[in-house]
Amino acid sequence: MLSPRFGLGARVTVRRADPPGHLRTPWYIRGQSGEIERLCGAFANPEELAYNRPGLPAQPLYRVRFHQCEIWPDYSGPAQDTVEVEIFQHWLEPAP
Amino acid sequence: MTEIHHLHPHRHPAVPDDDGPLGYYQALEVAVRELLVEKGIFSGDDVRRAIEAMDARTPAQGARIVARAWTNPAYKARLLADGTAAARELGIDTAATRLIAVENTRLLHNLVVCTLCSCYPRMVLGLPPDWYKSRAYRSRAVREPRGVLREFGTVLPEDVEVRVHDSTADMRYLVLPERPDGTEGWSEERLAGLVTRDSMIGVTRCRL
């Protein structure tokens, strides 16, 4: 397993990337910044598993919390509404 | 159509038979399954048994977890700390995925979706409802959750935080709804009867 790079509460940005293949990072969250809610553990990389490769070393998987009003400029709900997404470490960078 | 006509023996089926040609992936699934059976990797009875086991899981499993958490504070703490282990305590195996329980409170309402496909906590809720897999729910739950909740009859005050959980990877989510007022002293079994599938997905609340 790769060692976790981000601690609880760390500000992170999701990479704005579009590699080919099987990806588990939704489009709407790429390029967005949020904070680490928890480390879920380490899991084989689904981008490798999809092609019958072992996906090792296991990638740390985080739950990242985002504010809805930052993701959708016309979000109609109140400012405290959030969305949490599971994101693998190789999709995350420290937020600027 | 007259009465007489209705009594006539019908030559046509009442409902059209669903026997059109197989799609590409349906044909692929049949071919791979038949090959695996032929090679002795598993039997037709193994496939049938796996489907039977899948169909036997129902929201009653999730309801047992919720009712236990409502009546037993120590269990609730364990559930929120490690949903997988807490489910196992009640004899529910979550297989390869892990379970995270998220608690609704006066100021926080949780809603579960899988925007990428239709990941669902099948081990505690059984098969997902058709709407959960629809493109409309999957895209709108994350884009305008309050509008979706309103259509399900759930109107939340402005001071409540709506927190959407997008099941994008290896976690599965179970909403722990708020225990309704007026259920003081109820047994665990009676409480479990109040806990609906939809309240554990988060599109509604538990009510008396």
Side-chain angles (χ1 to χ4, degrees), chain A residues 9-80:
Chain A
R11 290 283 300 170
V12 290
T13 300
V14 183
R15 280 171 46 220
R16 197 187 285 278
D18 184 20
H22 173 81
L23 310 173
R24 303 296 307 177
T25 307
W27 266 108
Y28 73 88
I29 218 67
R30 296 185 202 174
Q32 303 291 342
S33 297
E35 64 181 53
I36 303 287
E37 189 269 344
R38 76 176 76 176
L39 173 65
C40 303
F43 295 85
N45 184 349
E47 294 160 31
E48 297 287 312
L49 288 180
Y51 296 94
N52 201 26
R53 294 191 289 253
L56 301 174
Q59 276 283 344
L61 176 69
Y62 301 92
R63 268 152 57 79
V64 185
R65 183 177 297 168
F66 302 87
H67 277 276
Q68 292 277 33
C69 55
E70 292 175 14
I71 298 173
W72 318 106
D74 60 345
Y75 186 71
S76 58
Q80 74 271 16

Side-chain angles (χ1 to χ4, degrees), chain A residues 28 74 80-82 86, chain B residues 143 146 158 161 164 166 168:
Chain A
Y28 73 88
D74 60 345
Q80 74 271 16
D81 285 2
T82 50
E86 292 159 47
Chain B
R143 179 76 182 79
R146 285 174 187 261
E158 284 280 300
E161 172 187 338
V164 179
D166 192 352
T168 46

Side-chain angles (χ1 to χ4, degrees), chain B residues 86-177:
Chain B
R88 201 178 306 124
E89 268 186 58
L90 301 189
I92 302 165
D93 179 22
T94 66
T97 54
R98 301 210 194 154
L99 187 67
I100 292 183
V102 288
E103 184 186 17
N104 283 354
T105 65
R106 221 307 268 142
L107 289 172
L108 177 64
H109 186 92
N110 295 283
L111 177 68
V112 180
V113 66
C114 171
T115 58
L116 294 177
C117 43
S118 54
C119 297
Y120 188 74
R122 289 170 186 236
M123 56 288 190
V124 289
L125 297 187
L127 295 175
D130 285 344
W131 56 257
Y132 184 87
K133 299 182 280 184
S134 72
R135 190 173 280 267
Y137 178 76
R138 286 162 42 215
S139 52
R140 294 183 59 224
V142 76
R143 179 76 182 79
E144 41 165 337
R146 285 174 187 261
V148 171
L149 286 168
R150 208 174 298 119
E151 287 168 26
F152 278 99
T154 307
V155 181
L156 297 169
E158 284 280 300
D159 64 340
V160 170
E161 172 187 338
V162 171
R163 185 175 293 166
V164 179
H165 300 270
D166 192 352
S167 323
T168 46
D170 297 80
M171 306 293 123
R172 296 293 177 271
Y173 299 91
L174 177 74
V175 175
L176 174 57

